Amino acid sequence: MKNYRDLAELIFPDVTLTIEDLERKYPPRDVEGEVTRFAPSPTGFLHTGSLFTSLVSRLVANSSNGIFYLRLEDTDTKREVPGAKETLVEGLKTFLVRPDEGFDLPKEKGNYGPYLQSQRKDIYRIVLKELVARGDVYPCFCTAEDLNKLREFQERNKMVPGYYGEFAKCRNLSVDEAYERISKGENYVLRFKSHGDHENKIDCEDLIRGHINIAENDLDVVVLKSDGLPTYHFAHVCDDHFMRTSIVIRGEEWISSLPLHIEMFKRLNFPLVKYAHLPLIMKMDEGKKRKFSKRKDPEANVSYFLENGYPPVSLIVYLMTIVNSNFEEWLVGKNVLDYPQFKFSFDKMSLDGALFDLKKLDYYSKEVIASFDLETLFNNVKEYAKVYEETLYELIVRDENYFKHILNIERDGDHPRKDYAKYKDIYPSIKFFYRDLYEDIILNSGISFNPKFDKTLIKTILEESLTLLSSENEQVWFAGLKEIARKYRFASDNKTYKANPNDYVGQVGDVAEMIRISIAGSRRSPNLFTSMMILGEKEVRYRIKFAEDNLL
Ligand code: GLU
């Protein structure tokens, strides 16, 4: 008669090490704080929700002087997409969530590896050999067809679906039978023999949710697939134990598997990790909240933000507002780029799925862009344009210094300009600085002067405004402009005009608008005086003439 040990030897003849050897090889870490990890599956791209998870894990490690590492969970070979590993690694770097150790390219770093699950087969096999030898894991020979039949039967009879109790056919096979079938080369998987009872409830602890009372696991889940790779459940328990994770931070979709994971930790005599299940990021769609969808929401893929020219740090700062409810209050009066000094806390995490709010992202992104020094901003914009916006790139390289001057309008001083939420917003607002584009705007955009004013009057005012071009500063220039306004019966401000509209032709803003339209081809532009200074007197004269010739 064969026993469990014989079965373990038959399945894993080459495995000579034991769990104890692994405990020695991967000793508890000598670290003061929490050990957290980000464990994505390389199935395509970096999801905005996953970036959120990785950010929380990074912050928890930061706030406690701990370690944050990256592990790639590539055991689902069917779902794996070529290049996805690189995309994840690069994505984290780009969005400034840097792991202290773990999977990296070209070479991983850290003593708790390998950090790619497909390279950890030996570890799983050592643990599984022991579990088979203890009778805690058993081979299952059920075919896909058997399992389909089981599912149909359970559905028909409105039973809880799954491989458990009386339905777990192979759990009761004798060791001799299992031994013989494997020896004959029959296909099998390995299943975990649950001791749980679905009727019992257990208390679990979650760092965000507190107590969770949930039914015990009674499923005999697959732990090793026929391709020799483990399932998520088993790999999670082994890896987070031997990589010495202290807090598993993951999406709330895993709460339902918690009883299974707890049972596995117990049966393996591994101390239980702490868990934090993060709320999902939601989206408002026709008045209803729904999950962020890969298919429907382009912003579910972090590359959306890069393509649109959001600085990566903007997305991170925005996600921080979702991470902790007190973040925004903390930020008041600080520079937005000081966000890494914020102390994360699980208590301040909201449980209802956070709504992804592009308007709020824009608000913070404007703050971020305004906080960059000119050199940083210039380099970022140039890099963005090079990859994503050829037309803008072409303008930048025509004359980098000229572009820097344009970029710098209204940025120094106490109230820097905050009208760019993303680099994509720059081109439309600055293209008028380039003569060819300016002429095209005047000729083809349909812009016109306010028909309320007489054409000769406009021309006279424009000509006269040229005398102000030598003003040494904006105040002097504006005083001169008011002077001209007064001369032609325009009120010197809107309030005065509104009080007695019949006494005036218009107000000084109308006069400024005539100049703005002439030099920028638009009713809105960056600061008019600074724009004229950048264009230079000769160019302003040229443009006033060009506008007169074409718009009057
Ligand atoms: N690979 C799992 C996923 O991508 C990770 C879950 C976890 O963090 O444990 O959903």
Side-chain angles (χ1 to χ4, degrees), residues 141-142 170 173 176-186:
F141 303 91
C142 288
C170 295
L173 294 182
D176 281 331
E177 182 178 347
Y179 194 97
E180 201 189 317
R181 288 171 78 170
I182 293 175
S183 309
K184 281 193 185 143
E186 204 173 316

Side-chain angles (χ1 to χ4, degrees), residues 138-391:
Y138 64 89
C140 166
F141 303 91
C142 288
T143 59
E145 202 191 331
D146 294 334
L147 297 175
N148 268 340
K149 275 195 193 139
L150 172 61
R151 201 184 32 248
E152 280 162 21
F153 175 82
Q154 289 169 329
E155 261 169 32
R156 251 196 328 275
N157 293 286
K158 304 207 166 21
M159 294 165 139
V160 182
Y163 204 82
Y164 60 95
E166 57 185 302
F167 304 115
K169 221 167 73 186
C170 295
R171 147 193 267 249
N172 300 318
L173 294 182
S174 69
V175 177
D176 281 331
E177 182 178 347
Y179 194 97
E180 201 189 317
R181 288 171 78 170
I182 293 175
S183 309
K184 281 193 185 143
E186 204 173 316
N187 257 342
Y188 65 96
V189 296
L190 292 181
R191 285 185 186 270
F192 178 68
K193 191 186 277 179
S194 171
H195 292 173
D197 178 347
H198 203 64
E199 299 294 311
N200 290 342
K201 295 265 182 191
I202 50 164
D203 263 331
C204 321
E205 283 303 317
D206 181 279
L207 291 172
I208 307 170
R209 289 149 213 268
H211 281 309
I212 302 178
N213 195 248
I214 185 168
E216 238 173 39
N217 170 63
D218 66 349
L219 293 177
D220 285 2
V221 297
V222 174
V223 285
L224 192 74
K225 298 178 288 179
S226 52
D227 62 5
L229 285 166
T231 53
Y232 167 74
H233 306 296
F234 181 65
H236 148 53
V237 174
C238 278
D239 293 346
D240 283 312
H241 175 69
F242 288 116
M243 290 176 159
R244 307 294 173 178
T245 308
S246 67
I247 306 183
V248 167
I249 297 167
R250 60 184 181 185
E252 68 181 12
E253 68 273 22
W254 294 109
I255 291 181
S256 55
S257 313
L258 197 50
L260 165 65
H261 301 159
I262 291 176
E263 188 183 4
M264 284 185 174
F265 270 100
K266 260 200 200 134
R267 298 270 294 281
L268 275 159
N269 288 325
F270 293 165
L272 186 61
V273 287
K274 290 176 271 183
Y275 284 99
H277 290 92
L278 299 182
L280 292 176
I281 296 190
M282 312 290 278
K283 170 115 196 217
M284 214 49 167
D285 190 0
E286 294 179 357
K288 284 204 194 91
K289 265 191 187 183
R290 63 159 172 80
K291 269 201 310 193
F292 231 13
S293 137
K294 276 194 212 180
R295 218 168 23 86
K296 292 194 210 150
D297 307 316
E299 68 272 31
N301 181 345
V302 296
S303 65
Y304 167 88
F305 302 98
L306 301 176
E307 285 156 18
N308 280 281
Y310 284 97
V313 66
S314 298
L315 180 59
I316 292 300
V317 170
Y318 167 64
L319 289 177
M320 295 284 294
T321 69
I322 304 183
V323 166
N324 268 181
S325 55
N326 56 333
F327 174 72
E328 288 185 80
E329 202 184 304
W330 175 89
L331 198 59
V332 173
K334 297 191 179 63
N335 185 312
V336 69
L337 298 179
D338 290 337
Y339 77 92
Q341 287 157 21
F342 176 76
K343 280 264 179 252
F344 169 86
S345 123
F346 278 113
D347 310 337
K348 299 282 185 209
M349 196 147 208
S350 138
L351 276 184
D352 357 315
L355 270 187
F356 197 83
D357 180 352
L358 275 173
K359 283 212 185 76
K360 201 159 175 185
L361 167 68
D362 280 358
Y363 170 81
Y364 279 107
S365 195
K366 284 178 184 173
E367 297 286 324
V368 164
I369 291 181
S371 303
F372 287 148
D373 60 58
L374 179 62
E375 225 30 57
T376 308
L377 177 63
F378 172 77
N379 290 330
N380 290 352
V381 176
K382 188 175 168 191
E383 221 170 281
Y384 158 78
K386 191 169 182 183
V387 182
Y388 299 107
E389 210 180 328
E390 214 180 300
T391 39

Side-chain angles (χ1 to χ4, degrees), residues 37-43 50 53 71-74 79 117 232 236 240 248-251 253-254 261:
R37 85 305 191 262
F38 175 46
S41 304
T43 53
S50 304
T53 308
R71 174 173 78 227
L72 282 190
E73 306 210 322
D74 62 338
R79 289 175 61 219
Q117 279 184 335
Y232 167 74
H236 148 53
D240 283 312
V248 167
I249 297 167
R250 60 184 181 185
E253 68 273 22
W254 294 109
H261 301 159

